[in-house]
Amino acid sequence: LVLGCSATTAEDIAAGFDIVISHDNAPHQSIACGHSAEIERLADACRERHILLRRLPFRSGFHTPFVRDHLAPFERLLGELDLRPATIPVWSATRIRPYPADPGEVRALYLAHLRQRVRFRELVEALYADGFRVFVQAGAGQLGSFVGDTLGAARHLVVGAVSDVRPGLDQLRRVATALWV
């Protein structure tokens, strides 16, 4: 259930429910996971508080303890991967800092990320504090709006690499121009 409120507000409303807040996306968006009956109870409680909400068109326990019993395929995949340290730092929305260099630690972090909350709002704040001012969204979705919601009036640029209204090469030129400027 996507909620038009902070993760803190969502946790307060969901207290006593069998619900996990799986995503802290931005100051005005969080996602809650749980069984259908509990999600419906949470939706009713949010409607009473005039909080916007939308039921996601799929079911997933990712980024919650609910996924714990379904990790075997991911563990198998991780065992087959030849992991090497990144040449460009890749930041984790679980640790709120760059991934470790040690392959064993990366494997553990990957599995932890499947069970733990996505802390995107905190990640954006940490990136900004570390000097990042330009955010390029590589695919479709709402990440750019989450960055804008999180950073507000703070000086930053968000540009999407994908566009619904421009062909790919035209959009790539637009991104290159925005980055150059």
Side-chain angles (χ1 to χ4, degrees), residues 6-170:
S6 70
T8 303
T9 298
E11 285 175 335
D12 290 346
I13 296 168
F17 294 19
D18 188 16
I19 293 286
V20 175
I21 306 305
S22 62
H23 292 68
D24 177 0
N25 286 333
H28 298 100
Q29 195 200 76
S30 55
I31 298 179
C33 286
H35 295 285
S36 295
E38 290 293 286
I39 287 294
E40 210 41 60
R41 284 182 58 211
L42 178 61
D44 290 343
C46 288
R47 284 185 197 102
E48 288 174 11
R49 292 169 177 80
H50 306 288
I51 293 173
L52 295 175
L53 57 95
R54 180 174 56 89
R55 185 180 287 272
L56 290 168
F58 58 86
R59 291 181 180 204
S60 167
F62 285 114
H63 310 299
T64 75
F66 297 135
V67 78
R68 192 166 278 139
D69 295 338
H70 306 282
L71 292 177
F74 299 98
E75 291 168 340
R76 265 193 313 280
L77 172 67
L78 275 175
E80 297 170 3
L81 294 178
D82 179 22
L83 297 176
R84 297 179 186 159
T87 55
I88 298 171
V90 177
W91 285 59
S92 161
T94 301
R95 305 171 20 126
I96 315 302
R97 60 183 184 273
Y99 269 80
D102 177 70
E105 290 179 44
V106 171
R107 284 180 171 85
L109 179 57
Y110 175 80
L111 291 172
H113 183 64
L114 294 174
R115 297 184 316 267
Q116 295 175 12
R117 177 181 297 174
V118 174
R119 298 163 55 199
F120 190 73
R121 177 190 52 79
E122 291 175 77
L123 177 62
V124 169
E125 292 169 346
L127 287 165
Y128 193 85
D130 203 45
F132 289 83
R133 298 296 182 267
V134 177
F135 299 83
V136 178
Q137 181 169 330
Q142 300 299 314
L143 294 179
S145 64
F146 299 159
V147 171
D149 187 21
T150 299
L151 295 179
R155 189 169 179 229
H156 71 282
L157 169 70
V158 176
V159 61
V162 175
S163 171
D164 291 337
V165 296
R166 278 182 284 289
L169 193 51
D170 289 348

Side-chain angles (χ1 to χ4, degrees), residues 134 157 159 169-181:
V134 177
L157 169 70
V159 61
L169 193 51
D170 289 348
Q171 185 63 18
L172 181 59
R173 286 185 188 110
R174 184 180 179 93
V175 170
T177 302
L179 295 176
W180 181 78
V181 169

